[in-house]
Amino acid sequence: MTSFDSSPTLNAWRALAALAVVFVMLATTGWTAVRSHPGKTALQASLSAWEHGHMNGRELPDPDASPTRLARFFASLTAQQRTRLAHRYPLAVGNMNGAPVSLRYRANRIALDQQRKVEKKRMHDNRLTPLGQQEAGRLMHRFEALTAEGRHILAFDPEGSGRIAEVFGDLDTAQRVSVIVPGVDTDLLTFQKTSKNYSAPVGMAQNLYAAENTAKSATDTRTAVIAWADYTSPGGLGIDSATAGRAEAGAVRLNALVRALPGTSQVALFCHSYGSVVCGVAAHELPARVTDIAVAGSPGMRTSKASHLHTLARVWAMRDADDWIQDVPYMEVGGLGHGEDPVSNAFGARVLAAKDAEGHTGYFAPGTDSLANFADIGVGAYRSVTCAHEGDTCREGLSGTSAAGRA
């Protein structure tokens, strides 16, 4: 019997549907405007100053040097010298892959406090509109919150809508590191939310870290979680979210992060919504330490099959029944759309249960099977995950619950 799902007629209708969605996006949101920034950004200025700087008569290394080279440089310095560099070039050091994690935290705290003071002045700048002053106030309070005691900011760039990454746990001693890659409308102001905190990167990471601490009792695994909003995500459901441009730029940054993590910890990526596009684009260049890529509420990973990602990492996927993302056209036409549905049989990922999650943003909510599954992957307890379908097919070929080595 011929399947209507694979017929040329249906594929043609799918193509038309995809184009219709794009035209609606353009009509309602318009093409994304490229903002021009005259002069150097604050981060660029800090990097430029670093490039012309010295330490006891020695030139400073290229900030784009390999993490290994930069790590050797910082290791050659005294604690006082490292602190001096953090104070002189806070944004450069705070975003420098290869710099000691604790030094990056210190440098970003300095940079955040400097930006807090900038926004505090802008709050009372009469040249700004009331709306501009209000936004300055929001940023000032956000920067103030990010400098609170106990927060560990791994990356920070105030330019535009901003980029940021925060760590929960100890990166230096972790055996397994989980990286959360969020989707559209993620920036400095949406990085953390009070209501439904699980829908923003900080809440996602906090809940995952707590769930991993519960799950790891069976594995005795030291873990850390990174809320990684250190790429420029698309703003809303516009043309940027329907194409891979932002994902390609984000993939470069994601790979740089993973390669610069200290130690030999294994890494799992948890990619939500458009974040799964970033992970899909990054997959083929990810280092071997990345053992798992788990996507939730995905519009696609820019390919038709998991095997085409060309990664040794296990690929997991989940989607709850109430997630509106299931209504997007899962295809790619002329660069629009992101390919096959990752939870489909055709894609070939290990499909996990997410029946307790609600809507598109509920996968990291406490008490859900989706969060429990993520936590089991995060600690390496693969045989504890719950599959979406009967028969335990998502656990096929997996053995043990060890935190060391691929199962």
Side-chain angles (χ1 to χ4, degrees):
M1 187 170 89
T2 302
S3 170
F4 182 66
D5 286 345
S6 60
S7 71
T9 301
L10 183 58
N11 286 335
W13 277 111
R14 282 177 172 166
L16 289 173
L19 293 173
V21 168
V22 171
F23 286 134
V24 169
M25 287 177 177
L26 294 178
T28 57
T29 65
W31 292 90
T32 298
V34 178
R35 295 175 61 187
S36 59
H37 299 286
K40 293 179 179 178
T41 67
L43 176 55
Q44 288 169 344
S46 186
L47 288 169
S48 178
W50 170 281
E51 290 170 345
H52 294 89
H54 295 79
M55 174 58 69
N56 293 344
R58 297 166 55 192
E59 287 188 358
L60 300 178
D62 184 344
D64 292 324
S66 72
T68 302
R69 165 76 179 88
L70 290 169
R72 283 200 301 266
F73 165 74
F74 283 105
S76 73
L77 304 177
T78 65
Q80 186 178 29
Q81 289 172 331
R82 288 193 289 268
T83 299
R84 196 182 309 160
L85 289 176
H87 280 272
R88 284 182 183 174
Y89 318 104
L91 279 172
V93 174
N95 290 278
M96 194 172 292
N97 289 319
V101 167
S102 60
L103 188 66
R104 290 180 68 171
Y105 296 160
R106 184 180 308 172
N108 283 319
R109 180 180 294 274
I110 295 167
L112 280 160
D113 189 56
Q114 290 176 346
Q115 290 300 312
R116 179 190 64 80
K117 293 174 181 176
V118 168
E119 297 303 328
K120 189 173 183 178
K121 288 182 179 179
R122 293 181 71 244
M123 287 172 62
H124 307 288
D125 189 339
N126 292 330
R127 293 171 297 179
L128 296 179
T129 64
L131 186 61
Q133 291 176 331
Q134 183 181 19
E135 182 168 344
R138 293 178 66 202
L139 283 169
M140 190 277 289
H141 289 298
R142 176 48 46 88
F143 295 152
E144 190 172 59
L146 290 169
T147 58
E149 189 68 29
R151 301 198 72 165
H152 299 139
I153 306 304
L154 186 66
F156 167 60
D157 182 359
E159 183 61 23
S161 58
R163 296 195 293 250
I164 193 160
E166 182 171 9
V167 176
F168 299 87
D170 190 338
L171 276 184
D172 287 317
T173 62
Q175 295 168 287
R176 296 183 68 94
V177 175
S178 299
V179 181
I180 293 174
V181 184
V184 301
D185 289 329
T186 300
D187 55 32
L188 283 168
L189 290 176
T190 61
F191 185 57
Q192 182 174 359
K193 295 180 180 179
T194 302
S195 176
K196 296 184 177 179
N197 74 318
Y198 55 78
S199 65
V202 168
M204 292 177 180
Q206 289 175 325
N207 292 341
L208 179 58
Y209 186 55
E212 286 183 353
N213 282 329
T214 299
K216 77 179 185 182
S217 59
T219 62
D220 194 28
T221 304
R222 296 188 303 275
T223 63
V225 179
I226 302 175
W228 189 79
D230 194 26
Y231 82 106
T232 303
S233 73
L237 299 179
I239 193 67
D240 279 343
S241 64
T243 55
R246 296 291 176 93
E248 289 167 355
V252 173
R253 300 183 68 82
L254 180 59
N255 263 298
L257 165 85
V258 172
R259 293 178 184 279
L261 290 175
T264 58
S265 55
Q266 295 185 344
V267 179
L269 305 181
F270 296 93
C271 321
H272 177 247
S273 194
Y274 188 86
S276 65
V277 185
V278 178
C279 292
V281 174
H284 72 286
E285 291 188 351
L286 291 171
R289 70 188 303 179
V290 177
T291 58
D292 299 273
I293 302 173
V295 303
S298 174
M301 299 183 73
R302 302 299 296 182
T303 189
S304 59
K305 292 182 180 296
S307 59
H308 294 174
L309 293 172
H310 302 294
T311 177
L312 295 176
R314 287 169 288 265
V315 181
W316 309 81
M318 65 169 67
R319 187 179 66 221
D320 76 75
D322 299 324
D323 192 336
W324 59 261
I325 203 75
Q326 64 190 304
D327 296 324
V328 306
Y330 281 99
M331 60 186 306
E332 186 272 324
V333 179
L336 298 170
H338 302 301
E340 184 59 75
D341 182 355
V343 301
S344 69
N345 290 333
F347 190 77
R350 299 174 183 270
V351 183
L352 297 162
K355 62 180 181 297
D356 293 342
E358 293 184 8
H360 186 59
T361 60
Y363 294 97
F364 291 85
T368 56
D369 51 358
S370 51
L371 181 63
N373 275 328
F374 281 163
D376 286 333
I377 292 170
V379 302
Y382 301 110
R383 296 184 69 180
S384 297
V385 300
T386 304
C387 302
H389 310 294
E390 293 183 5
D392 297 339
T393 56
C394 77
R395 295 199 295 265
E396 283 184 359
L398 300 182
S399 61
T401 57
S402 171
R406 280 189 171 81

